[in-house]
Amino acid sequence: MLDILVGGFYGDEGKGKIASFLALKDNPALSVRTGGTNAGHTIVFNGKKLGLRSMPSAFVNPKTELAMAPGSLIRLAILEREINETGTGSRLFIDPHTGVITEEDIEAEKSNAHLNGTVGSTLQGVGSAESRRILRKLKLAKDYSELSKYMTDVPEKVLDALEQGKLVHIESTQGHFLSLYHGEYPYVTSRNTTSSGVLSEVGIGPKYVDNITVIFKSFITRVGGGVLKGELTPEEAKKLGVEEFGTVTGRPRRVSLFDPEVAKRVARINSATQVAITKLDIKFPGAKGVREYSKLPEDAKKWLDEMEAEIGVPVTLAGTGEEAMDTIDMRYKLRK
Ligand code: GTP
Ligand code: MG
């Protein structure tokens, strides 16, 4: 069984939270992280809060093995810190082709006025490293002796697990509209963030995929430049309680309301089999901490049902708090 998790808007939809919930609930044998260190996944579990930029959020399940995809990008200092924070060195596997971002990449982006100004990049060196990869100048994980103990052929490991009937999760970063190909270029990130892009980063074909979960939030946020339809003023966002600040940059996120038409298009392009909506408790404060659909306030139930009808894909997961387990699991809808 292969399940893919991708972001449906501009990132920060709560992939870390949903991925950690699914890891605890479904017990995957392996979880593979794609993307780079410009992501900031927030995980709140057992009262502890972590902002992870590299490690799969599935680390919360001690039985799940963790892997970095060949197409992903790591930074040594961040990786080391997160291995220590999560205590996962003994169950971490890194593909020899995983790219390595250096301090020079970060410096190059900081002094790049286009990225820094127009694009509003997070300046984490990801784009610089990726462009060096394309120019065949990037050093990969296999070139660093300190990583040798983690070296594993990750596509092989994924395929072996799938062939043995085990469950594998693929965890993506950022979101649909930040895709290098399908987002609003040039206000995009340096990779294809859609479900198909994620598969190519891992390096396996589509026939193995069982579930594609697109994660939305009950409102839309965006950092950096570009158009945000229906953008609220910071005052309006504050009044509605939907203001947010970036995990990596600390910058205030730009905000607009949930748009089901947009969500429908995203679900189609990513061939979503199911949809998760996080932060239901922010839109409907009475939903806070609720873990069963039947216990939700009527207005929250009605809104979820309406969104499901408009998007045309079952809404199977809803987030009702920061804590991983503050999630309503409605995947029984898929078993009908
Ligand atoms: P990227 O990989 O950077 O795109 O981030 P992400 O999708 O993992 O999301 P991120 O952690 O950056 O932002 C989501 C924020 O919402 C975090 O602060 C989470 O703790 C919080 N969060 C996630 N789900 C819920 C929810 O259902 N309710 C509430 N109240 N907070 C949530
Ligand atoms: Mg984030």
Side-chain angles (χ1 to χ4, degrees), residues 12 40 247 253:
D12 306 320
T247 317
R253 292 175 181 160

Side-chain angles (χ1 to χ4, degrees), residues 11-17 39-42 44 173-174 247 253 278-282 319-322:
D12 306 320
E13 301 91 352
K15 289 174 292 296
K17 181 234 161 81
H41 279 359
T42 314
V44 182
T173 67
Q174 302 157 312
T247 317
R253 292 175 181 160
T278 63
K279 292 212 168 184
L280 192 66
D281 55 307
I282 301 295
T320 57
E322 286 191 317

Side-chain angles (χ1 to χ4, degrees), residues 2-3 5 19-20 23 27-34 55-59 61 63-69 91-93 154 157-158 161 167-172 202:
L2 179 62
D3 290 4
L5 282 179
S20 53
N27 225 358
L30 176 67
S31 177
V32 189
R33 176 65 148 68
T34 60
M55 195 64 78
S57 309
F59 87 89
N61 185 332
K63 291 199 213 107
T64 302
E65 292 189 324
L66 310 169
M68 300 303 301
R91 55 184 168 111
L92 176 67
F93 303 87
V154 169
K157 190 170 174 67
V158 171
L167 174 63
V168 178
H169 282 176
I170 298 178
E171 185 182 326
S172 182
V202 177

Side-chain angles (χ1 to χ4, degrees), residues 40-59:
H41 279 359
T42 314
I43 292 111
V44 182
F45 178 54
N46 280 345
K48 245 182 93 181
K49 189 172 190 160
L50 273 177
L52 292 185
R53 295 172 55 188
S54 220
M55 195 64 78
S57 309
F59 87 89

Side-chain angles (χ1 to χ4, degrees), residues 68 70 94-99 140-143 150-155:
M68 300 303 301
I94 302 178
D95 192 87
H97 293 167
T98 300
L140 306 179
K142 66 182 166 69
D143 302 316
Y150 304 114
M151 286 305 96
T152 304
D153 184 324
V154 169

Side-chain angles (χ1 to χ4, degrees), residues 4 36 41 76 111 138 144 194 225 285 287 307:
I4 299 180
H41 279 359
L76 296 185
S111 58
L138 184 68
Y144 289 83
T194 63
M307 292 307 113

